[in-house]
Amino acid sequence: MAYKLDTLCVQGGYRPQSGGERIPPISQSTTYYYANTQEMADLFDLKGDGYFYTRLANPTVAAFEGKVAALEGGVAAVGCASGMSATTLAALTVCGAGDNIVSSSAIYGGTFNLFAVTLPKVGIETRFFDPDAPAEEIEKLIDDKTKIIFTETIANPSIKVLDFGKIAAIAQKHGVLFAVDNTLATPVLCRPFEHGANLIIHSSSKYLDGHAAALGGVIVDGGNFNYKGNSRYESFNVPDESYHGLVYADLPAAQFATKCRAQMIRDIGAIMSPQNAFLSWLGCDTLALRMERHSSNAKKVAAYLDAHPKIDWVWHASLPANKYHALAEKYLPKGQGGMLSFGIKGDVAQAAKFMEALRLITQETHVADVRSCVLHPASTTHRQLTKEELEQAGVPENLVRLSVGIENPDDIIADLDQALARI
Ligand code: PLP
């Protein structure tokens, strides 16, 4: 029976055995005991289900992976130590030296840095595109070495909403894997596999955990991409000598997730910890409720700021005049999320004065948890970018990023109001 999303938030990913723990216990063990040698050998050959070493898989991490895979409608998921490691491992699963990624420039600053600075050091190039550019311009960046088209559903911090139809059509035409970072939308507001994506990345440190308690990342395999005989993805079609000659394209399911785990998690080891998996699993229980409240609060806050004389501009797709309003109606009909950005009239010093005057809303290098917080990206998360790169990433210098929490909206607005009165 196919359950609805809010049911999967509380019931997905784990079913106890009779007499077993009702919620997944924290399996705080690096290793597992087997009485039978063949049983263990079968696990190494991927012939059986089970665990042999927590770097490869762990029951608590598996419960969280199962829940996120169910929520996104994917076939499998791989839990990682952080959102950054999820993106890195996903890229390395398909890319080698000489390959390239075609990525939206409107992405999280850390991901931009990974693509623009770190991956080129190992010979993987990224070609950035403006997500608002026409399809013909984006297509020009693709060649036979392109392995991934990378995007964000709701871009951090430019709050641009992805035109899934446009990107999916390009990806399908060229037979390239379409990857989406769905961190700020979550499956509650948008399910990218229903709009043509093949791979989903999450920083679970954000809304999935939701309480600023656990760092983590997840890669979700859509199971909807054909690697078999596809010359662009040769590494899926040749025997993996490091894994008993396994040909990943011949596996019946979860080809990407299996290759990622067997090669990248095994060799790089950036696995999610059982403790963080437990907290993130628990966080997902209330995800549907929280996303509803984050979205309705942010809509109210956006309308308030938009009407304020000291505010230059506000970006949130709930605003009818917002450039992405129509795309949000199509792809985010249940709510546009809790993240918004705005510019304060005046210089950077005015923005700083405003942020320091806030009492309830705190300054943090974090977004997307239950408590409202603010950040000035140009001097923090995006400080490594040049002025041109900031503009390319859609981050003006006076931009203030506000992550609207689930407090009473009147209290959030009252705090903004008193802080604006001081500048
Ligand atoms: N993706 C997005 C959209 C993010 O906002 C972040 C972090 O802020 C990341 C990825 C990286 O995640 P993490 O901090 O868990 O490594």
Side-chain angles (χ1 to χ4, degrees):
M1 182 173 166
Y3 293 115
K4 300 216 167 15
L5 208 85
D6 30 12
T7 304
L8 290 174
C9 281
V10 291
Q11 296 281 1
Y14 175 77
R15 201 78 197 155
Q17 311 257 317
S18 181
E21 295 92 340
R22 182 58 190 96
I23 65 170
I26 304 172
S27 290
Q28 197 64 54
S29 179
T30 53
T31 190
Y32 305 83
Y33 161 74
Y34 288 94
N36 178 316
T37 314
Q38 189 56 46
E39 223 183 325
M40 206 161 174
D42 286 348
L43 288 177
F44 273 92
D45 284 348
L46 302 178
K47 284 184 190 150
D49 279 337
Y51 304 93
F52 51 92
Y53 191 53
T54 282
R55 172 155 46 76
L56 274 300
N58 168 282
T60 318
V61 178
F64 178 59
E65 291 167 340
K67 191 180 266 199
V68 181
L71 288 172
E72 289 289 14
V75 295
V78 180
C80 303
S82 63
M84 286 313 303
S85 58
T87 305
T88 306
L89 298 187
L92 294 178
T93 299
V94 283
C95 298
D99 291 333
N100 66 70
I101 297 167
V102 168
S103 173
S104 165
S105 55
I107 52 173
Y108 167 61
T111 311
F112 188 92
N113 201 56
L114 169 72
F115 288 172
V117 181
T118 301
L119 289 183
K121 290 179 189 162
V122 291
I124 300 165
E125 179 204 351
T126 297
R127 301 161 180 190
F128 291 100
F129 63 85
D130 173 354
D132 296 335
E136 310 77 67
E137 242 177 71
I138 300 170
E139 275 184 274
K140 281 187 203 149
L141 302 174
I142 297 173
D143 64 16
D144 59 359
K145 292 288 187 186
T146 304
K147 295 286 160 53
I148 302 177
I149 300 180
F150 188 90
T151 56
E152 287 182 10
T153 305
I154 300 175
N156 180 8
S158 62
I159 324 293
K160 295 183 179 192
V161 178
L162 184 67
D163 185 344
F164 279 94
K166 178 173 76 178
I167 304 296
I170 298 171
Q172 274 157 24
K173 181 172 163 192
H174 294 271
V176 179
L177 202 63
F178 174 16
V180 182
D181 180 330
N182 200 32
T183 299
L184 297 189
T186 81
V188 172
L189 302 181
C190 179
R191 297 177 91 212
F193 293 143
E194 291 170 4
H195 307 299
N198 309 114
L199 202 66
I200 294 173
I201 313 279
H202 277 282
S203 162
S204 62
S205 332
K206 306 295 175 306
Y207 287 123
L208 299 189
D209 158 40
H211 299 79
L215 208 69
V218 198
I219 302 166
V220 191
D221 183 345
N224 57 355
F225 190 83
N226 183 25
Y227 299 97
K228 182 74 188 156
N230 185 338
S231 59
R232 193 185 286 281
Y233 296 93
E234 200 197 339
S235 68
F236 281 76
N237 285 284
V238 294
D240 177 359
E241 297 310 340
S242 78
Y243 220 101
H244 326 301
L246 189 65
V247 177
Y248 296 100
D250 288 344
L251 291 172
Q255 297 156 351
F256 187 97
T258 307
K259 188 172 191 282
C260 179
R261 190 182 300 280
Q263 295 181 333
M264 294 305 133
I265 289 284
R266 178 198 63 183
D267 293 356
I268 295 173
I271 187 84
M272 180 177 254
S273 77
Q275 174 84 24
N276 284 347
F278 173 78
L279 290 167
S280 309
W281 188 93
L282 209 56
C284 285
D285 280 358
T286 54
L287 185 65
L289 289 173
R290 285 188 285 108
M291 291 317 291
E292 211 178 291
R293 180 63 175 257
H294 280 295
S295 296
S296 69
N297 275 3
K299 189 174 175 176
K300 288 176 189 158
V301 171
Y304 160 79
L305 289 171
D306 200 41
H308 199 288
K310 290 185 183 169
I311 299 294
D312 206 4
W313 49 266
V314 183
W315 293 337
H316 191 258
S318 65
L319 294 169
N322 183 268
K323 190 175 171 187
Y324 303 96
H325 188 70
L327 280 173
E329 282 189 327
K330 192 168 174 190
Y331 298 115
L332 301 162
K334 289 194 271 176
Q336 296 75 43
M339 293 285 306
L340 56 87
S341 292
F342 58 94
I344 290 192
K345 281 184 186 160
D347 56 14
V348 174
Q350 288 289 83
K353 200 170 165 197
F354 160 77
M355 302 224 294
E356 281 162 17
L358 291 165
R359 290 178 187 147
L360 178 73
I361 304 167
T362 45
Q363 278 197 66
E364 286 170 36
T365 311
H366 195 245
V367 294
D369 69 72
V370 289
R371 282 161 286 272
S372 294
C373 60
V374 275
L375 186 82
H376 183 222
S379 58
T380 53
T381 49
H382 287 60
R383 64 180 295 123
Q384 74 282 4
L385 305 192
T386 62
K387 200 171 171 162
E388 292 70 43
E389 284 172 338
L390 279 172
E391 266 157 35
Q392 217 188 5
V395 189
E397 274 182 313
N398 70 338
L399 180 149
V400 174
R401 187 179 70 181
L402 171 60
S403 173
V404 180
I406 61 168
E407 302 93 341
N408 187 296
D410 295 344
D411 289 334
I412 301 171
I413 291 172
D415 194 32
L416 293 167
D417 206 52
Q418 64 81 23
L420 284 168
R422 284 162 189 259
I423 60 168

